[in-house]
């Protein structure tokens, strides 16, 4: 990693590939094109810390339901990149930036995202939230993995309501977070859940309850197509006056622009269970009736919201599509546009930016006209992510995925140090040592020293 520039208190960094690592990267791409999955395993036997190979094999293990191996591979990839950190690169300062347009940097983003997903699934939402903050801090303006579509969900799961409210208050002015369905509904839910806490002063409880009601009415007015699917997820049968009303009825969901339907599907598929509590449903019902009264009385805000929906949600940007692919929420994947569903998505680099900055090119001798390997390429179908590996599983004979990586038996390789105080990783690193952020000893407690300033 090297320091690119420091300006206005922010430092921009970039991972670098040494010549030896570049050769390994070329071999990896050739292995992808060879249509032989075992070539990835062979490559890892000689270069056990090649990051893209580790991430790709982790996906394969995860799809084969070998979660333990998948997690170990991601942690090994994170350790590999940790060893290449610049001395000035800090995970907790919030002032370090990594440009996602550089392919060398993307592996770090994806490894962090996959680790965050594993933590959430293992019941560690607070730690997952810290990883989410870290990913967002690396490039908050562009947000290449669109973590703003996830951070509210993790904050609610971690019961960190104050953080979500503060984020909304500080970023709404310049990021228009209320135009995202997930923030429009999660923030009032955070206020409501905060008002349910008995240890707060009565004045704060009353203020939180009032603010929750105001914001949920705005959300229902702006996104009426969310209500009926949300109630269906919660197994709640709406009143006939609501289900048949022109504002909340089936027409509200059908008339949504495709990009908005995708955002709604992502939010409901991920966060619907947060609304199942009886107290939450009763509070939602009260505000639905208030919104219906406003609609029937001809409130001009209703027409203004309808006009904004038609203008703002014509097409989702590429980072939202990338987030949907990574999230693997079936309902959201089904709503992806045809130009995304008809292309192959590389597991180690999903939907790369169109303005990619390449620091080196691939030699012609490594180029191949072969199709991508079915195991290593995810093809997005009309309703789900399908990993085309069912017909090619050469390791299925072994319950541990049939992999003989030989990591424990090889001699400990060295970490190549570049000049001018910067380190480059060459795919040959020492085994995890005590004290590393993702060291094996520390992962047993699933606690990580990531506390990005809220």
């Amino acid at each position: 990693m090297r320091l690119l520039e420091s300006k206005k208190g922010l430092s921009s960094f970039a991972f670098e590939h040494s010549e030896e690592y570049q050769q390994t990267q070329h071999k990896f791409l050739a292995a992808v094109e060879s249509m032989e999955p075992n070539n990835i395993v062979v490559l890892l036997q000689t270069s056990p810390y090649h990051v893209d190979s580790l991430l790709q094999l982790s996906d394969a293990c995860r799809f084969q339901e070998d979660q333990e191996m998948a997690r170990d591979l991601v942690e090994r990839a994170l350790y590999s990149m940790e060893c290449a950190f610049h001395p000035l690169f800090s995970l907790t300062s919030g002032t370090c930036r990594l440009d996602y347009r550089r392919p060398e940097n993307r592996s770090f983003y994806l490894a962090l995202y996959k680790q965050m997903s594993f933590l959430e699934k293992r019941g560690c939402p607070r730690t997952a939230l810290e990883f989410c903050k870290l990913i967002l801090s690396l490039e908050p303006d562009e947000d290449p993995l669109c973590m703003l579509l996830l951070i509210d969900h993790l904050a609610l799961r971690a019961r960190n309501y104050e953080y979500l409210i503060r984020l909304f208050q500080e970023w709404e002015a310049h990021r228009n977070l209320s135009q995202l369905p997930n923030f429009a509904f999660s923030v009032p839910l955070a206020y409501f859940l905060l008002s349910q806490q008995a240890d707060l002063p009565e004045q704060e409880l009353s203020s939180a309850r009032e603010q929750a009601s105001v914001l949920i009415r705005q959300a229902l007015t702006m996104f009426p197509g969310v209500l009926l699917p949300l109630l269906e997820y919660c197994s709640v049968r709406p009143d006939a006056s609501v289900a048949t009303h022109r504002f909340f009825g089936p027409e509200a969901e059908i008339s949504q622009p495709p990009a908005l339907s995708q955002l709604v599907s992502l939010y409901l598929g991920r966060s619907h269970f947060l609304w199942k509590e009886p107290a939450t449903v009763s509070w939602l019902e009260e505000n639905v009736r208030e919104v219906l009264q406003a609609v029937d009385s001809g409130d001009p805000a209703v027409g203004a919201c309808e006009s904004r929906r038609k203008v703002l949600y014509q097409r989702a940007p590429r980072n939202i599509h990338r987030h949907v692919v990574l999230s693997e929420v079936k309902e959201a994947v089904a709503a992806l546009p045809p130009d995304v569903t008809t292309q192959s998505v590389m597991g180690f680099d999903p939907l790369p930016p169109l303005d990619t900055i390449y620091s080196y090119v691939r030699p012609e001798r490594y180029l191949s006209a072969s199709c991508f390997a079915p195991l290593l390429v995810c093809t997005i179908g009309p309703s789900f992510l399908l990993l085309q590996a069912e017909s090619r599983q050469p390791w299925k004979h072994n319950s541990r995925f049939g992999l003989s990586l030989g990591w424990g038996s090889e001699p400990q390789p060295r970490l190549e140090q570049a000049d001018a105080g910067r380190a480059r990783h060459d795919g040959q690193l020492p085994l995890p040592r005590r004290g590393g952020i993702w060291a094996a000893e520390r992962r047993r407690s699933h606690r990580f020293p990531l506390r990005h300033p809220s």
Side-chain angles (χ1 to χ4, degrees):
M1 177 182 282
R2 66 187 176 98
L3 175 64
L4 298 179
E5 64 174 355
S6 295
K7 184 187 300 183
K8 297 180 180 180
L10 301 177
S11 300
S12 298
F13 295 86
F15 283 95
E16 281 190 327
H17 290 173
S18 65
E19 292 186 5
E20 183 177 354
Y21 195 94
Q22 290 179 26
Q23 297 300 319
T24 305
Q25 185 72 12
H26 299 326
K27 293 177 182 178
F28 166 73
L29 296 176
V32 171
E33 297 174 348
S34 69
M35 302 186 70
E36 179 50 64
N38 281 331
N39 287 343
I40 298 292
V41 179
V42 173
L43 180 60
L44 282 173
Q45 289 177 342
T46 56
S47 301
Y49 286 93
H50 181 254
V51 175
D52 285 342
S53 296
L54 292 169
L55 296 179
Q56 191 66 65
L57 194 57
S58 174
D59 282 342
C61 292
R62 183 169 54 84
F63 277 92
Q64 292 293 324
E65 299 183 358
D66 191 348
Q67 301 296 328
E68 183 179 354
M69 173 68 80
R71 290 193 298 268
D72 288 345
L73 292 169
V74 170
E75 290 181 0
R76 189 173 290 267
L78 284 169
Y79 172 73
S80 173
M81 288 178 284
E82 181 193 357
C83 289
F85 281 177
H86 190 278
L88 298 179
F89 184 78
S90 171
L91 295 175
T92 58
S93 66
T95 60
C96 297
R97 300 291 183 262
L98 285 176
D99 193 344
Y100 193 81
R101 294 176 300 172
R102 297 179 179 272
E104 298 89 341
N105 293 343
R106 294 176 202 159
S107 301
F108 190 55
Y109 279 90
L110 295 174
L112 289 174
Y113 187 95
K114 293 176 188 298
Q115 180 72 348
M116 176 193 65
S117 299
F118 284 132
L119 288 167
E120 182 188 4
K121 293 176 182 178
R122 300 186 73 178
C124 303
R126 181 55 191 265
T127 309
L129 175 62
E130 301 304 324
F131 270 80
C132 187
K133 293 179 186 179
L134 171 59
I135 298 173
L136 183 59
S137 73
L138 295 177
E139 201 171 358
D141 294 332
E142 298 297 329
D143 193 9
L145 299 188
C146 216
M147 303 311 295
L148 287 178
L149 296 179
L150 176 62
I151 195 168
D152 63 297
H153 170 78
L154 294 176
L156 288 175
R157 284 202 60 193
R159 300 182 181 181
N160 198 346
Y161 310 130
E162 294 86 352
Y163 168 77
L164 177 57
I165 292 171
R166 180 185 171 188
L167 176 65
F168 178 77
Q169 292 174 342
E170 294 183 1
W171 283 32
E172 168 64 11
H174 66 283
R175 298 296 291 269
N176 296 320
L177 298 181
S178 59
Q179 296 178 7
L180 296 173
N182 58 305
F183 267 94
F185 282 87
S186 292
V187 173
L189 180 59
Y191 271 112
F192 174 75
L193 295 175
L194 191 62
S195 71
Q196 300 295 101
Q197 297 182 357
D199 56 343
L200 293 179
E202 182 63 30
Q203 184 177 359
E204 293 186 18
L205 293 177
S206 177
S207 176
R209 182 67 179 260
E210 181 181 357
Q211 189 69 14
S213 297
V214 171
L215 291 177
I216 193 60
R217 292 170 194 167
Q218 294 177 359
L220 290 169
T221 304
M222 184 65 186
F223 306 107
V226 174
L227 180 63
L228 291 186
L230 176 59
L231 295 179
E232 184 178 356
Y233 271 113
C234 297
S235 302
V236 174
R237 178 175 297 179
D239 188 87
S241 61
V242 176
T244 60
H245 197 280
R246 59 179 177 82
F247 190 72
F248 286 122
E251 181 63 25
E253 185 179 1
I254 296 174
S255 61
Q256 290 180 146
L260 179 56
S261 297
Q262 180 177 309
L263 293 175
V264 170
S265 299
L266 180 66
Y267 174 68
L268 293 178
R270 175 181 280 157
S271 303
H272 62 88
F273 64 90
L274 298 172
W275 294 81
K276 288 188 174 183
E277 291 296 326
T280 304
V281 174
S282 298
W283 165 72
L284 179 62
E285 180 183 3
E286 295 174 6
N287 288 280
V288 166
R289 296 194 180 280
E290 293 290 336
V291 172
L292 285 179
Q293 292 179 8
V295 172
D296 293 336
S297 63
D299 190 336
V302 177
C305 289
E306 183 178 359
S307 300
R308 287 206 304 272
R309 283 197 301 272
K310 294 180 179 179
V311 174
L312 296 177
Y313 305 98
Q314 295 298 319
R315 178 174 175 80
R318 193 172 181 84
N319 62 335
I320 290 182
H321 294 160
R322 188 181 299 121
H323 178 91
V324 170
V325 171
L326 290 172
S327 72
E328 299 180 10
V329 176
K330 294 181 180 179
E331 297 83 358
V333 173
L336 286 170
D339 61 333
V340 177
T341 59
T342 55
Q343 64 177 293
S344 296
V345 179
M346 305 297 293
F348 63 92
D349 190 10
L351 298 178
L354 301 179
D355 54 348
T356 296
I357 300 176
Y358 294 101
S359 57
Y360 61 92
V361 295
R362 189 178 177 192
E364 292 185 3
R365 67 179 182 275
Y366 286 105
L367 297 177
S368 170
S370 303
C371 296
F372 292 110
L375 171 66
L376 305 176
V377 180
C378 294
T379 300
I380 304 177
S383 61
F384 56 92
L385 265 176
L386 173 64
L387 186 68
Q388 295 184 340
E390 298 303 324
S391 60
R392 295 178 64 88
Q393 300 176 0
W395 48 69
K396 204 165 185 177
H397 62 279
N398 193 314
S399 61
R400 286 291 298 169
F401 209 60
L403 305 181
S404 178
L405 301 178
W407 286 326
S409 59
E410 292 193 1
Q412 294 188 5
R414 57 185 173 81
L415 172 64
E416 177 182 327
Q417 297 291 338
D419 57 347
R422 68 177 186 261
R424 304 179 181 180
H425 61 278
D426 59 356
Q428 300 290 331
L429 302 179
L431 294 177
R433 65 188 186 282
R434 189 174 184 85
I437 291 178
W438 293 282
E441 294 86 355
R442 187 170 297 178
R443 74 164 184 259
R444 299 305 176 192
S445 63
H446 312 298
R447 300 189 183 191
F448 297 81
L450 298 179
R451 289 294 180 270
H452 178 61
S454 299

